[in-house]
Amino acid sequence: MFEAISEAYGSAELGLKKWTQAYLACVAAVDDNVGQVLNALNESGLDKNTIVVLASDHGFHMGEKDYLYKNSLWEESTRVPLMIRVPEMTKTNIHIDHSVSLIDVYPTLLDLCNLSTKTSKNEKGHSLDGTSLVPLLKNPYTEHWDNTKAALTVVFAGNEYKDNPSMQHYAIRTEQYRYILY
């Protein structure tokens, strides 16, 4: 996997070092920009009535398992940053260990805004997917959360299999396990 960076930099070790340096510079730039937005909210007073949700794409592998780039079903490639700040509810610097999914963000926002979660217009409609994260935002250390669903990740297997869902690559993640099917 390191052929391209090895060729570009003369060695895999130097290539990985430069790859990591560039990646960390990107992360630092994003962090700085997020900080500027949050500071502007705080300085304007809008932080008192503004819910902030920050989610991001997963990053690249950094040489784990001799792999670079993206599109694997491993933990490093399927986990994404998700931060939610709710005035008078969330505390700073709290890490929640429960497995959640980005599909949970919409029901969470509906819950926080006291909006209906009934999204189907008639009996043919489908109920809302995802689970509100509000109980976790209120008590990040709860051991009992009513979401028993696992997080599903799908990686496209290529155009030759585009019409065959059974040929795609899947990972399912619970709080204890990750199962990968290629």
Side-chain angles (χ1 to χ4, degrees):
M1 275 297 164
F2 297 124
E3 294 88 18
I5 62 169
S6 182
E7 185 178 313
Y9 292 99
S11 76
E13 183 179 342
L14 180 59
L16 185 57
K17 186 176 184 178
K18 294 291 185 179
W19 175 272
T20 303
Q21 183 180 26
Y23 182 83
L24 293 175
C26 291
V27 170
V30 169
D31 186 53
D32 183 54
N33 287 310
V34 169
Q36 288 182 44
V37 170
L38 294 177
N39 285 338
L41 274 173
N42 293 342
E43 290 170 8
S44 70
L46 293 173
D47 61 314
K48 306 286 187 269
N49 68 353
T50 302
I51 297 168
V52 177
V53 178
L54 175 72
S56 177
D57 181 40
H58 55 83
F60 286 93
H61 280 263
M62 304 305 295
E64 302 94 348
K65 301 180 186 180
D66 291 334
Y67 191 72
L68 295 174
Y69 317 112
K70 298 184 177 196
N71 296 331
S72 80
L73 292 170
W74 302 324
E75 193 81 3
E76 297 84 2
S77 188
T78 57
R79 291 188 64 169
V80 299
L82 174 61
M83 292 176 263
I84 302 174
R85 184 176 82 173
V86 181
E88 299 183 24
M89 182 183 294
T90 55
K91 309 282 188 277
T92 59
N93 298 317
I94 299 293
H95 180 267
I96 296 174
D97 290 322
H98 294 282
S99 294
V100 300
S101 182
L102 292 178
I103 203 165
D104 299 326
V105 172
Y106 182 61
T108 302
L109 291 173
L110 291 177
D111 193 6
L112 288 169
C113 296
N114 295 316
L115 298 172
S116 173
T117 58
K118 295 192 184 280
T119 58
S120 58
K121 294 190 180 243
N122 58 42
E123 68 280 350
K124 294 181 182 180
H126 182 67
S127 61
L128 184 63
D129 288 325
T131 303
S132 173
L133 302 173
V134 169
L136 292 178
L137 297 175
K138 287 181 177 178
N139 181 5
Y141 303 110
T142 185
E143 293 188 25
H144 305 289
W145 184 47
D146 62 355
N147 184 12
T148 57
K149 299 174 194 169
L152 175 68
T153 303
V154 181
V155 172
F156 184 57
N159 283 330
E160 64 270 25
Y161 305 112
K162 68 181 177 187
D163 297 323
N164 189 346
S166 69
M167 295 302 292
Q168 303 309 313
H169 307 305
Y170 298 93
I172 191 146
R173 177 77 162 94
T174 66
E175 292 192 29
Q176 288 184 304
Y177 302 104
R178 170 178 294 280
Y179 177 74
I180 297 174
L181 176 65
Y182 289 105

